[in-house]
Amino acid sequence: MMASADPAGRFDYYVLSLSWSPQYCASSHHDDGEQCERPYAFVAHGLWPQNERGYPKDCPSPGRVGDATIEHMLPLMPSRGLVIHEWRTHGACSGLGAEDYFGTVERAYRSVRIPAAYQAPDHYLSVAPAQLKRDFAAANPGLRAEDLAVECSGHYLREVRVCLTRELSPRACGADVDDACASTAVLRPVR
């Protein structure tokens, strides 16, 4: 028996996932020419509807993402496949149409200032996850360490996740937003 789909638009908050592009491109199973042939630092992986426990999934899709929307999002989400995947997997659960959802993704992404040290490092950086959170909080008034989660792949930084209200204000992350990193996160250089 197939599980029923979650209703779109019923969720508690958003998680903005900022992916460290050099780590994505270093993974042997990711050969995404659109993203990996250019020197990106943090890119928008997605804006995920989240509940205090779990997240909505398998929501009915209200339509496809138009080509103009995909083109508009490529500077922030540098892969057509990623844009389409995020719409199907997360955007459809937002209760918004594709254009409004991706407008919300863009507003959320632009609301977070990336600290200067992480905008385009040309060498490997090692930083404690707690310091990375403090650096993001210092660059973003109103953002606190508990509003952030740091996700690594081994010792390498994979993502910084920012928890936001439905109105895109910072808020504490729920207990099941992964915050998994060793004592040191290594950022691969942007090349």
Side-chain angles (χ1 to χ4, degrees), residues 101-174:
Y101 170 72
F102 285 106
T104 304
V105 172
E106 183 174 9
R107 282 192 311 284
Y109 179 83
R110 296 197 187 288
S111 75
V112 177
R113 286 186 222 62
I114 304 299
Y118 311 119
Q119 289 179 7
D122 60 0
H123 59 283
Y124 283 84
L125 291 177
S126 294
V127 61
Q131 182 61 51
L132 184 66
K133 289 179 182 184
R134 284 191 296 273
D135 293 343
F136 266 82
N140 294 276
L143 192 63
R144 306 160 303 166
E146 58 264 27
D147 305 336
L148 299 161
V150 178
E151 182 76 18
C152 289
S153 177
H155 287 287
Y156 291 100
L157 178 69
R158 192 169 81 207
E159 295 180 349
V160 171
R161 296 176 178 170
V162 184
C163 296
L164 302 166
T165 66
R166 291 176 68 127
E167 294 76 30
L168 305 181
S169 297
R171 62 147 283 166
C173 296

Side-chain angles (χ1 to χ4, degrees), residues 20-39:
W20 185 247
S21 187
Q23 178 58 30
Y24 171 85
C25 294
S27 300
S28 60
H29 61 282
H30 293 127
D31 185 19
D32 189 336
E34 288 177 286
Q35 180 170 343
C36 298
E37 58 191 35
R38 295 192 43 207

